[in-house]
Amino acid sequence: MTLSSSVLPASSNGDDCQLMRLSPETLQLVADFFKVLSESSRLQIVCALKTGQKNVTEIIEATGLGQANVSKHLKILAQAGIVSRQQQGVCVYYQIASVFVFELCELVCDSLSAQIQQQSKKIAHLEAFRQA
């Protein structure tokens, strides 16, 4: 299935979410991609690879995760196309294949930071009201 064959006709309303134009099958692909990034261990591995390629031992040292855990998550990240692997002699090195993942994480972190700041302001107002 190609992306172009999975796009539904556009509606006349220009304010519609672009995702709404995707077929349910394509939306599932998007959801599956976000599921891969929804595991904190995988995010640790992605962060460890931001500085460049690493082998499993180096990833273990950078993250503190166990070998079996790292291997399992690297397989999932590779299947999703987020990391790629390259054999160099007897070692396999992993690197980020989709560098936009860092931009995506920054957008999420910025959004969460803004939400926390808003919540902090609300809590401060409640505390001021309670103490008045």
Side-chain angles (χ1 to χ4, degrees):
M1 171 176 64
T2 64
L3 187 58
S4 60
S5 68
S6 61
V7 176
L8 301 174
S11 71
S12 59
N13 185 351
D15 295 332
D16 286 344
C17 174
Q18 292 295 318
L19 288 176
M20 293 303 294
R21 294 181 54 213
L22 300 177
S23 70
E25 295 83 8
T26 303
L27 280 173
Q28 187 60 53
L29 292 174
V30 173
D32 290 344
F33 181 84
F34 280 107
K35 275 186 212 172
V36 170
L37 295 176
S38 71
E39 219 295 332
S40 62
S41 295
R42 289 185 211 127
L43 290 176
Q44 284 182 271
I45 293 169
V46 167
C47 287
L49 294 172
K50 187 171 186 176
T51 57
Q53 68 177 8
K54 289 182 175 52
N55 62 33
V56 172
T57 302
E58 294 168 325
I59 294 169
I60 291 167
E61 290 170 0
T63 61
L65 299 170
Q67 189 273 328
N69 206 10
V70 167
S71 294
K72 174 185 80 171
H73 290 303
L74 282 169
K75 180 180 178 184
I76 293 167
L77 288 164
Q79 288 172 337
I82 295 170
V83 301
S84 61
R85 50 179 291 179
Q86 181 180 355
Q87 187 89 28
Q88 293 182 7
V90 295
C91 270
V92 176
Y93 283 85
Y94 293 86
Q95 62 191 18
I96 297 297
S98 302
V99 292
F100 76 89
V101 77
F102 297 117
E103 294 173 38
L104 181 60
C105 287
E106 284 180 32
L107 284 170
V108 171
C109 288
D110 290 347
S111 176
L112 290 172
S113 178
Q115 288 177 25
I116 290 168
Q117 286 176 355
Q118 287 292 350
Q119 287 175 341
S120 294
K121 287 178 185 176
K122 290 176 183 176
I123 291 170
H125 287 264
L126 285 173
E127 285 295 322
F129 176 76
R130 198 181 87 188
Q131 293 176 1

